[in-house]
């Protein structure tokens, strides 16, 4: 399984950005999987941002992004997104996507429970 994150960049505070993660590989073909986004700022540990269940019916967000970020997925295309609005300088980080096999209706918020990771995409928010 390969995860490819894209869409990062430089944006001013208050702006918006959408990052994507494309999932490919035989392991998830015709199988359910949960996905999530994590981020790591310089000098800090990687932390949870958002997660979504296979069917998209359940989501979870870290408190600091609630109301500003939205996670979504398109299972037919094997791609999931993180829409980031009202961005703040403290959102600056490398954003990583993650995936693992799952059953429907489950969101996974712990990094150690994920099996596959993307390479990360840099998001920089200027003040």
């Amino acid at each position: 399984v390969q995860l490819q994150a894209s869409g990062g960049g430089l944006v001013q505070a208050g702006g918006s950005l959408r990052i994507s993660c494309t999932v490919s590989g035989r392991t998830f073909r015709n199988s359910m999987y949960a996905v999530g986004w994590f981020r790591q700022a310089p000098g800090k540990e990687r932390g949870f941002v958002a997660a979504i269940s296979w069917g998209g019916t359940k989501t979870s967000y870290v408190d600091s992004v609630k109301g500003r970020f939205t996670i979504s997925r398109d299972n037919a295309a094997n791609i999931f997104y993180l829409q980031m609005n009202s961005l703040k300088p403290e959102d600056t980080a490398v954003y990583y996507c993650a995936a693992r096999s799952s059953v429907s209706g489950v969101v996974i918020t712990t990094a150690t429970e994920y099996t596959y990771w993307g390479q990360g995409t840099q998001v920089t928010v200027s003040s």
Side-chain angles (χ1 to χ4, degrees), residues 14-81:
S16 298
L17 202 62
R18 188 178 78 163
I19 56 178
S20 305
C21 186
T22 301
V23 182
S24 61
R26 299 182 62 178
T27 300
F28 287 155
R29 192 172 299 170
N30 300 318
S31 299
M32 295 184 288
Y33 56 95
V35 298
W37 288 97
F38 292 75
R39 65 186 178 186
Q40 187 169 18
K44 295 186 177 181
E45 294 186 353
R46 188 175 302 188
F48 169 73
V49 177
I52 188 168
S53 62
W54 164 252
T57 57
K58 293 186 179 181
T59 58
S60 181
Y61 299 91
V62 66
D63 286 347
S64 60
V65 308
K66 285 181 180 177
R68 300 189 298 122
F69 290 12
T70 302
I71 188 171
S72 62
R73 63 189 299 167
D74 180 347
N75 290 339
N78 287 314
I79 188 167
F80 60 103
Y81 306 95

Side-chain angles (χ1 to χ4, degrees), residues 38 45-48 98-100 108-117:
F38 292 75
E45 294 186 353
R46 188 175 302 188
F48 169 73
R100 65 155 288 165
I108 300 172
T109 62
T110 305
T112 54
E113 294 191 59
Y114 281 97
T115 309
Y116 303 101
W117 290 84

Side-chain angles (χ1 to χ4, degrees), residues 70-109:
T70 302
I71 188 171
S72 62
R73 63 189 299 167
D74 180 347
N75 290 339
N78 287 314
I79 188 167
F80 60 103
Y81 306 95
L82 185 67
Q83 176 67 44
M84 303 180 289
N85 299 327
S86 301
L87 281 160
K88 305 175 181 180
E90 50 264 43
D91 294 319
T92 295
V94 176
Y95 284 71
Y96 296 91
C97 53
R100 65 155 288 165
S101 297
S102 180
V103 297
S104 181
V106 172
V107 289
I108 300 172
T109 62

